[in-house]
Amino acid sequence: MKMKIIDRFNKKNTKMTFLNMDTMFYILHYVFLDFLLFSGCKAGSHEKQLLHHLLDAYNVLERPVVNESDPLQLSFGLTLMQIIDVDEKNQLLITNIWLKLEWNDMNLRWNSSEYGGVRDLRIPPHRLWKPDVLMYNSADEGFDGTYPTNVVVRNNGSCLYVPPGIFKSTCKIDITWFPFDDQRCEMKFGSWTYDGFQLDLQLQDESGGDISSFITNGEWELLGVPGKRNEIYYNCCPEPYIDITFAILIRRKTLYYFFNLIVPCVLIASMALLGFTLPPDSGEKLSLGVTILLSLTVFLNMVAETMPATSDAVPLLGTYFNCIMFMVASSVVSTILILNYHHRNADTHVMSEWIRIVFLYWLPCILRMSRPNQEAYELEKAEKKSQQIQSVELKERSSKSLLANVLDIDDDFRCNHSCIGATLPHQPTYYRTVYRQSDDGHIGEGRLHETISHSCFSSSAEYELALILKELRWITDQLKKEDESSDVTRDWKFAAMVVDRLCLIIFTLFTIIATLAVLISAPNFLVSSS
């Protein structure tokens, strides 16, 4: 029993010893933390006292000047970080900018030696007086797109306020030379309520805005950000109002537009030119021109969505596309004229003298065109005509000889018109065999004797020969008419070839001249495309 009591007492003492060790550890830990906090709080107490000293009696509505009649000097500048977007349709410029405002607040001065060497403070802007500088031409929904960062205040009273922001400003976009255009977008900053006698804005850097940290844009090249201080007297007030205006000068990079708009348009125009080299007999000449016209129309609709929708000026690219559109439409009309000429013939159209002179003599001579195998065709035509004449004469002679042999007369007989007229109404007589039936039913053979005069028979044959000769002459005339009709058809086809060649040359020159005129008239084309 005694031993149990001693063991229980030893266990209790052991537990108390562990408890005392834990307590000592926590005490030392808290002492160490208190020491650290005390040593850190020694410097923070000066800043706390300084803040109480500066802000307890500070009035954010008070303009911080020694004499109320003196203006507060405000140095203003900006740093352009990035051009986010240039909205041509809505006439807007969206940029990322850091503003830089510096002024001296006489109510925020202290002796740094009295506050543990504290030389500057970071104070939220709503706790201090700050100038109400805004961008006059802002298009932002909240009008002021800056983020309210802390104001850095130094012991001499100077305040530095650098608020970053996404600025959406109005910008007059001039699209006359689109896509080879330069734009000037102004950003006008000034106090909204203080006039020049109360707040004097000064340009921080005479060269303008800071662009050392500018992030390059893929569509626009930054040329510079010059700044200017302006004093404006409005009709409402005799006091001057001061503003700082920064002009963002940018130039469009045209490489994208050149390869995606101009080159496809030129290729479509060249396809329209190739239509003039297609033979009219192929049947695809007009359909090719209409297809090209429709494809160019669809392409122009896509381009119209890219170009700014404004009526202030006609873009250079739009003028070029309209010229190409006019050229393609004119090529379709010219193709219709060419097909009309090609399918004309002597039965439907008569070639006038001026068309013959212009399209068969003058223009072929100017265009250095000649009919293929013209000399051979003329020789073949003469031979064919002589062969036809010889054939007709041969047929006439053979007919006469045949009739002369039948009648046993000379080949050089002459037709007696009196005889022809006398004997034509009568039928010639001749011998023929007839069969007669007797009274007893016997069928016997007999001859009926009919006579014809040799002269009358000869006159009738001459009349038949005259009819034959008349038919031969009609056939000859028809062959001559066919030859003449073929010649007229060939003339119309050759005129169509001349018009085709003329249109090919004219529209090719028009396309080349229009393209070069657009590229040459564009300002800074080589600089922009590079």
Side-chain angles (χ1 to χ4, degrees), residues 83 182-185 221-226 247-251:
I83 297 176
D182 294 347
Q183 301 297 334
R184 178 187 176 93
C185 297
E221 179 185 358
L222 182 63
L223 302 179
V225 188
I248 300 178
L249 306 179
I250 52 179
R251 174 175 296 164

Side-chain angles (χ1 to χ4, degrees), residues 474-507:
W474 183 85
I475 293 173
T476 305
D477 292 339
Q478 288 298 114
L479 292 176
K480 291 180 180 179
K481 288 181 180 180
E482 289 180 1
D483 292 339
E484 293 176 356
S485 176
S486 176
D487 292 340
V488 172
T489 302
R490 291 181 71 256
D491 290 342
W492 281 116
K493 289 184 177 182
F494 185 69
M497 291 176 59
V498 172
V499 175
D500 210 348
R501 180 71 59 84
L502 180 64
C503 292
L504 175 63
I505 295 174
I506 291 176
F507 289 130

Side-chain angles (χ1 to χ4, degrees), residues 400 404 409-414:
K400 289 181 179 180
I409 60 176
D410 257 350
D411 290 345
D412 293 332
F413 60 86
R414 295 289 182 268

Side-chain angles (χ1 to χ4, degrees), residues 232-286:
I232 302 176
Y233 289 88
Y234 294 100
N235 296 329
C236 65
C237 312
E239 300 86 2
Y241 282 85
I242 302 174
D243 66 82
I244 303 294
T245 302
F246 292 94
I248 300 178
L249 306 179
I250 52 179
R251 174 175 296 164
R252 193 189 301 269
K253 298 179 180 179
T254 59
L255 190 62
Y256 170 82
Y257 296 96
F258 183 79
F259 282 101
N260 291 278
L261 296 183
I262 297 178
V263 172
C265 186
V266 173
L267 293 178
I268 293 176
S270 62
M271 291 175 62
L273 297 176
L274 292 177
F276 292 110
T277 63
L278 194 65
D281 294 330
S282 64
E284 299 294 332
K285 194 177 185 67
L286 184 61

Side-chain angles (χ1 to χ4, degrees), residues 175 308-314:
I175 60 169
T310 178
S311 300
D312 295 337
V314 179

Side-chain angles (χ1 to χ4, degrees), residues 50-69:
L50 179 58
L51 290 173
H52 283 297
H53 171 71
L54 296 176
L55 300 179
D56 284 347
Y58 190 86
N59 189 354
V60 297
L61 303 178
E62 178 187 358
R63 187 167 58 93
V65 291
V66 179
N67 189 355
E68 283 78 4
S69 61

Side-chain angles (χ1 to χ4, degrees), residues 176-181 254 258 262 316-317 320 509 511-529:
T176 304
W177 302 107
F178 177 84
F180 309 99
D181 53 336
T254 59
F258 183 79
I262 297 178
L316 182 64
L317 187 62
Y320 176 69
L509 293 176
T511 304
I512 295 174
I513 292 173
T515 304
L516 293 179
V518 167
L519 298 180
I520 293 174
S521 62
N524 304 317
F525 166 69
L526 297 177
V527 179
S528 300
S529 60

